[in-house]
Amino acid sequence: MTSIQGGAGDIADGTATLADRARLVVLSAPISQREFADRVGMDPTALSKALRGNRRLQDHEVAAIAQVGKVSQRYLRTGAGRPPATGGGQAVRRRADAVDADLRRAQILEATARLIARRGFHKVRVADIARACGTSTGTVHYHFPTKDHALRAALVFYADRFHARLEEEFRTADTTVEKLRRLIEVQLTTTEEDADEWSVWVQSWNEAILDPTLREGQKGVHVRWREIVLDLLRTCQREGMAQGADAEAMASRFTSMVDGMAIQVLAGTGDMDAARMRELLLDAFEPYITLRRR
């Protein structure tokens, strides 16, 4: 019977889970966890959550992990079949230490992002982050030397989460117009996690106004998002829609509308809510592109 070796000890396949076996595959690979995540097309934080058992692996992710890790999907799902070549117990334990460090950083990052989102950047102390993670302030400082580092990391954390969600939506959209509809849905604040995402985004703006050293990172996240909108609009034009329209101007107008309305939703300003935001954004590209279903 194969056992899964790692920081938590050996786990027999009879009691191991899909997450346990996926973790063994990552431990056994001769690359870092971050590189493994890149090769399987997953956000590193999402992979870390999956290895901890806090996120369900989707079918295409299981298939990618099996391919990169050179095992069968049957092994990952059931434990039956040939396990990954580990290269010896000591090698696996060295890799386990490295992966555990990645997992610890992901845990600290997730807690930091959530605390900043819900309490506010200036009200979160390093001690609060350490308490939330069950670790020491020294460990938190090791990963994020200053609070500015923590804010930058929180912004990237939620940006990556947004793009991973958007990519998943786009994967099942069969037209460019449908992708624009999905883009709108992903922008809406309908869950607590959506509110967290927007809270960190707005706070990063505020801090970038006051601290020029934060502007480059904030701008990079914005440009990445705007390019998605612009690419979709240019694809629409290639497909015969919005002929003669200024795609650059439409992208700027749309992203400004999204930001402005999301701030109103977050702050409870006026009558703006997710439903009204959706309705206004569905009309954002009229008369060039019609997003409402007929």
Side-chain angles (χ1 to χ4, degrees), residues 85-108:
T86 62
Q90 289 186 345
V92 172
R93 293 213 180 263
R94 285 195 297 270
R95 291 279 297 126
D97 290 341
V99 171
D100 285 343
D102 283 343
L103 292 175
R104 172 58 75 182
R105 185 184 188 283
Q107 181 188 25
I108 293 172

Side-chain angles (χ1 to χ4, degrees), residues 197-243:
E197 188 177 295
W198 273 110
S199 174
V200 169
W201 179 232
V202 173
Q203 289 183 67
S204 73
W205 269 348
N206 184 61
E207 295 304 313
I209 291 171
L210 302 173
D211 183 353
T213 65
L214 295 172
R215 292 175 187 173
E216 183 176 353
Q218 200 274 344
K219 180 181 178 181
V221 172
H222 176 78
V223 168
R224 181 184 178 191
W225 169 48
R226 186 180 179 278
E227 282 299 312
I228 290 175
V229 180
L230 186 58
D231 286 346
L232 287 176
L233 293 175
R234 286 175 172 162
T235 301
C236 283
Q237 290 181 322
R238 288 194 294 270
E239 293 174 354
M241 293 172 277
Q243 297 298 304

Side-chain angles (χ1 to χ4, degrees), residues 251-267:
S252 294
R253 190 161 53 247
F254 175 79
T255 53
S256 296
M257 287 176 66
V258 170
D259 286 335
M261 286 189 281
I263 290 172
Q264 292 180 56
V265 173
L266 208 63

Side-chain angles (χ1 to χ4, degrees), residues 149-169:
H149 285 91
L151 180 61
R152 291 188 185 99
L155 177 61
V156 173
F157 172 83
Y158 280 120
D160 287 343
R161 175 183 176 273
F162 167 80
H163 286 285
R165 203 164 70 249
L166 190 60
E167 287 173 8
E168 187 62 30
E169 289 292 333

Side-chain angles (χ1 to χ4, degrees), residues 22-236:
R23 186 167 186 266
L24 178 60
V25 170
V26 173
L27 289 175
S28 303
I31 55 177
S32 69
Q33 182 179 327
R34 183 170 293 275
E35 185 176 350
F36 196 101
D38 289 340
R39 292 192 185 185
V40 299
M42 290 182 68
D43 171 70
T45 302
L47 178 60
S48 293
K49 286 184 177 181
L51 299 184
R52 297 199 306 269
N54 295 336
R55 178 186 179 277
R56 181 179 176 275
L57 284 166
Q58 300 182 33
D59 289 344
H60 71 275
E61 293 169 342
V62 173
I65 290 172
Q67 181 178 16
V68 174
K70 298 180 180 179
V71 297
S72 67
Q73 291 187 53
R74 180 167 172 257
Y75 166 76
L76 279 175
R77 295 185 184 281
T78 69
R82 187 176 63 187
T86 62
Q90 289 186 345
V92 172
R93 293 213 180 263
R94 285 195 297 270
R95 291 279 297 126
D97 290 341
V99 171
D100 285 343
D102 283 343
L103 292 175
R104 172 58 75 182
R105 185 184 188 283
Q107 181 188 25
I108 293 172
L109 174 56
E110 187 174 355
T112 300
R114 185 168 56 251
L115 286 170
I116 290 174
R118 298 181 184 181
R119 294 189 188 179
F121 174 63
H122 292 289
K123 292 184 179 180
V124 175
R125 302 171 303 165
V126 172
D128 298 326
I129 299 170
R131 189 178 303 112
C133 298
T135 190
S136 67
T137 56
T139 300
V140 175
H141 278 303
Y142 173 78
H143 292 287
F144 305 113
T146 68
K147 282 185 66 177
D148 283 352
H149 285 91
L151 180 61
R152 291 188 185 99
L155 177 61
V156 173
F157 172 83
Y158 280 120
D160 287 343
R161 175 183 176 273
F162 167 80
H163 286 285
R165 203 164 70 249
L166 190 60
E167 287 173 8
E168 187 62 30
E169 289 292 333
F170 282 0
R171 191 174 288 114
T172 57
D174 54 4
T175 66
T176 309
V177 168
E178 181 59 26
K179 286 182 179 181
L180 283 171
R181 295 190 187 107
R182 302 284 182 92
L183 175 67
I184 289 172
E185 289 300 315
V186 174
Q187 309 286 350
L188 304 179
T189 306
T190 58
T191 68
E192 190 172 42
E193 286 191 337
D194 294 335
D196 290 346
E197 188 177 295
W198 273 110
S199 174
V200 169
W201 179 232
V202 173
Q203 289 183 67
S204 73
W205 269 348
N206 184 61
E207 295 304 313
I209 291 171
L210 302 173
D211 183 353
T213 65
L214 295 172
R215 292 175 187 173
E216 183 176 353
Q218 200 274 344
K219 180 181 178 181
V221 172
H222 176 78
V223 168
R224 181 184 178 191
W225 169 48
R226 186 180 179 278
E227 282 299 312
I228 290 175
V229 180
L230 186 58
D231 286 346
L232 287 176
L233 293 175
R234 286 175 172 162
T235 301
C236 283

